[in-house]
Amino acid sequence: MSARRRKPLPASRLEWFQGWGKAVGAAGYAFRPSDVAGIRHVLERARDHRVPLVLRGAGRSYGDAALLAEAVILGLERMNRVLAWDPTSGVMDVEPGVTIDQVWRRALPDGWWPPVVTGTATPSIGGVLSMNAHGKNNWVRGTTGEHCEELDLLLPSGEIRTLTPAGDPELFHAVIGGFGQLGIMTRARLRLMRVHSGLLEVQAVSARNMGEMLRLLDEAKDRWEYVVGWIDAFAGGRRLGRGLLHFARHLDDGEDVAPAKHLDILAHEPPRRIAGVLPVSVVPHILKPLTNRPGLRLINRVKYEAGRLTAGERRFHQSVVSFSFLLDAIPGWERIYEPGGLIQHQSFVPVSSAERVFVRQLELCRKAGMPSFLAVLKRHRPDPFLLTHGLDGFSLALDFPVTAGNRDCLWGLVRELAEPVVEAGGRFYPAKDAALPGELFRAAFTDGQLDRFARLKRELDPGSLLRSSLADRLLAPLQK
Ligand SMILES: Cc1cc2nc3c(=O)[nH]c(=O)nc-3n(C[C@H](O)[C@H](O)[C@H](O)COP(=O)(O)OP(=O)(O)OC[C@H]3O[C@@H](n4cnc5c(N)ncnc54)[C@H](O)[C@@H]3O)c2cc1C
């Protein structure tokens, strides 16, 4: 942006925005247009006032992806219409603010399901494409971007380009996973996945340490649609990395005795009470006093031991909604981390180094006195996107509470966690982070990907109108 003095935007537009994890926030000028003409108008206003512009979907990124101090915050939540739905082909056209929740509710009764979903149904399609989100079936289905057939990209110049993977391979694969830095997605065409039931068959298995976790996850990846592991990050010594794994697959045609019932969205409403007694709304209040190191040590231990007792060969049926969006069952659970909030650090490591790096990471957390409160393991595959986090390997996602007292140490710990990942040729998923140092994120790209991204940025957004704290932190030197 030019160094000329900026004219202020109206103070009445100023709002306080936070990452979903509530550990980072910034005030910005809020605009929430409901159509493309409205977006163009906001672009012009930001340019006239020489103020950078941040795109914001549902605001579900934990960290600084949709924030920037004193920027225009272009909220896309009012662009939330399903534009077209073809229940014979499973193709859906959506505006960018449509959420995963809207997509599955529209599609499931017709026997379709989004091929890639995140751990909550609340993110927008623009947001998940911009981060190129992955699910528990990344090994089988890849990322959200691999199921997008076409998108409209509104450039900072006001021009709209319709992109397809085959017609515009370079730009398409850079925009998806491009952190909202090359243009504004105003429409996406998604291809959904055929399902015959709203139920999954699920199996739970326990593992005694990290090596066993990785082996079991790897063995299951070709036999099951979904594979995910939970780790008790408080356990040490021989038990370091112990945890529980869940494998799941959609029921085949003919396997569900009541498919119509289970394809109905009413069958998937989350229970309002736990065990028919306790209202879910009180759960965060019960957990809050336990959200400290001794409390979480106890919860992790009980969860592991109880899971170990019930795990095994037994298989059971579960709603695809409750399996996929486990965290949505307890609305507001993230409030247990208030007032400091939480961040997550998720690193991706090639198969051959995964055990060594993840053991090291868990040890570093223990040494720093900051064991992760929630640790999740997934299996991944490479994909064709320019700034991808995908590789043939595993990811370990580590949640950390942020407090006034631990902030500096935690940011230092994240640096320590990231170093062995880079040495092993790994990558990072920055949507839930806020602490990953830019030089380590950039060091993970060794084949000129960042130069290609910077060239596209200069071509499409020469004035660097589109920015965010995350992009400034991770990509800033490229944008100059
Ligand atoms: C409880 C929870 C569980 C999660 N589980 C997973 C998971 O399993 N896997 C996973 O991959 N992620 C997961 N996430 C992260 C989440 O999927 C991403 O952060 C996603 O980007 C959030 O989408 P959003 O609509 O909230 O986007 P925001 O957080 O608002 O924005 C994210 C990025 O998208 C950009 N953007 C938004 N709209 C557009 C647009 N129309 N055009 C261009 N750029 C745009 C923004 O500028 C920003 O860079 C989870 C998040 C939560 C809260």
Side-chain angles (χ1 to χ4, degrees):
M1 311 274 329
S2 146
R4 266 171 45 193
R5 195 176 161 74
R6 291 172 179 177
K7 274 197 275 173
L9 282 153
S12 58
R13 292 260 174 201
L14 270 181
E15 278 181 34
W16 179 250
F17 290 91
Q18 286 184 306
W20 181 84
K22 293 192 169 59
V24 286
Y29 297 94
F31 290 84
R32 296 183 177 89
S34 58
D35 57 20
V36 171
I39 299 180
R40 283 203 176 99
H41 180 68
V42 180
L43 282 173
E44 277 165 29
R45 260 185 108 168
R47 211 185 332 265
D48 283 352
H49 285 83
R50 301 181 186 286
V51 175
L53 184 145
V54 180
L55 304 176
R56 191 170 171 93
R60 262 27 185 212
S61 295
Y62 285 33
D64 53 357
L67 299 174
L68 184 67
E70 293 180 47
V72 165
I73 309 290
L74 177 56
L76 291 152
E77 64 265 42
R78 289 177 62 206
M79 290 193 65
N80 60 355
R81 286 159 286 227
V82 174
L83 300 170
W85 166 233
D86 181 352
T88 51
S89 64
V91 172
M92 189 182 284
D93 273 25
V94 296
E95 289 188 325
V98 164
T99 59
I100 297 174
D101 195 62
Q102 285 176 269
V103 173
W104 81 255
R105 283 176 188 276
R106 185 69 181 267
L108 188 63
D110 294 321
W112 298 90
W113 180 254
V116 177
V117 297
T118 52
T120 167
T122 53
S124 71
I125 298 303
V128 293
L129 288 174
S130 189
M131 285 295 164
N132 202 15
H134 55 270
K136 301 175 184 78
N137 56 353
N138 185 253
W139 174 258
V140 179
R141 307 274 165 197
T143 54
T144 43
E146 289 177 70
H147 306 277
C148 174
E149 297 199 328
E150 188 177 284
L151 56 87
D152 287 346
L153 186 71
L154 176 63
L155 301 178
S157 64
E159 177 198 348
I160 288 199
R161 288 201 199 161
T162 298
L163 308 178
T164 61
D168 318 85
E170 186 183 44
L171 188 51
F172 184 89
H173 293 103
V175 167
I176 291 181
F179 315 136
Q181 294 304 293
L182 299 177
I184 303 153
M185 292 179 232
T186 53
R187 178 187 63 91
R189 175 165 296 167
L190 309 173
R191 182 171 288 280
L192 307 192
M193 169 169 104
R194 200 18 122 198
V195 292
H196 302 284
S197 165
L199 295 180
L200 301 177
E201 181 183 66
V202 183
Q203 185 179 8
V205 175
S206 67
R208 286 163 299 184
N209 52 45
M210 180 62 81
E212 202 167 280
M213 286 291 290
L214 295 172
R215 182 175 58 74
L216 291 171
L217 204 60
D218 199 48
E219 283 171 6
K221 72 181 188 309
D222 297 312
R223 288 186 285 120
W224 297 87
E225 171 81 24
Y226 304 100
V227 296
V228 63
W230 163 84
I231 287 176
D232 171 7
F234 286 81
R238 282 183 296 113
R239 298 187 297 269
L240 191 87
R242 74 178 180 183
L244 305 170
L245 300 116
H246 284 92
F247 311 139
R249 66 172 185 88
H250 292 271
L251 293 192
D252 275 337
D253 200 9
E255 280 189 291
D256 185 351
V257 288
K261 179 178 162 202
H262 297 127
L263 290 172
D264 190 329
I265 57 174
L266 290 177
H268 302 280
E269 291 308 327
R272 299 214 175 121
R273 290 176 183 276
I274 291 176
V277 186
L278 197 64
V280 288
S281 56
V282 306
V283 175
H285 300 286
I286 294 171
L287 289 178
K288 177 97 183 142
L290 293 168
T291 311
N292 48 48
R293 235 176 291 160
L296 264 294
R297 178 187 298 281
L298 179 70
I299 289 175
N300 274 261
R301 189 177 184 157
V302 169
K303 180 176 159 79
Y304 175 75
E305 295 297 348
R308 193 170 62 90
L309 287 178
T310 52
E313 285 307 305
R314 191 178 68 88
R315 297 179 179 196
F316 56 94
H317 289 175
Q318 186 177 358
S319 146
V320 63
V321 174
S322 65
F323 179 87
S324 304
F325 311 125
L326 187 66
L327 296 171
D328 291 348
I330 303 171
W333 65 267
E334 71 280 7
R335 288 203 302 270
I336 63 175
Y337 289 106
E338 285 177 352
L342 82 155
I343 59 166
Q344 183 185 99
H345 176 73
Q346 186 177 12
S347 43
F348 291 65
V349 179
V351 173
S352 57
S353 316
E355 183 174 351
R356 178 176 54 76
V357 172
F358 294 155
V359 162
R360 174 93 187 115
Q361 288 187 325
L362 293 181
E363 280 169 346
L364 283 168
C365 295
R366 286 169 59 79
K367 197 169 134 215
M370 284 186 274
S372 165
F373 282 17
L374 178 66
V376 174
L377 202 59
K378 290 182 188 151
R379 183 70 169 89
H380 299 275
R381 74 178 193 194
D383 59 60
F385 298 94
L386 188 59
L387 298 187
T388 183
H389 49 276
L391 45 66
D392 183 359
F394 298 88
S395 74
L396 179 60
L398 301 169
D399 281 17
F400 299 101
V402 181
T403 65
N406 81 355
R407 204 176 176 99
D408 288 348
C409 292
L410 180 55
W411 262 238
L413 174 64
V414 168
R415 172 182 284 278
E416 283 189 81
L417 296 177
E419 281 165 350
V421 175
V422 174
E423 281 164 25
R427 296 272 170 92
F428 305 98
Y429 181 59
K432 306 195 200 172
D433 213 321
L436 177 65
E439 70 271 20
L440 291 175
F441 176 80
R442 293 190 290 278
F445 294 97
T446 51
D447 289 329
Q449 297 97 326
L450 295 171
D451 291 341
R452 298 210 289 283
F453 192 81
R455 176 175 52 72
L456 288 169
K457 177 76 177 167
R458 282 193 301 273
E459 279 170 28
L460 302 175
D461 185 18
S464 274
L465 184 65
L466 300 179
R467 281 176 50 196
S468 68
S469 290
L470 177 145
D472 282 6
R473 178 168 55 89
L474 302 181
L475 304 171
L478 306 169
Q479 297 186 1
K480 301 248 162 75

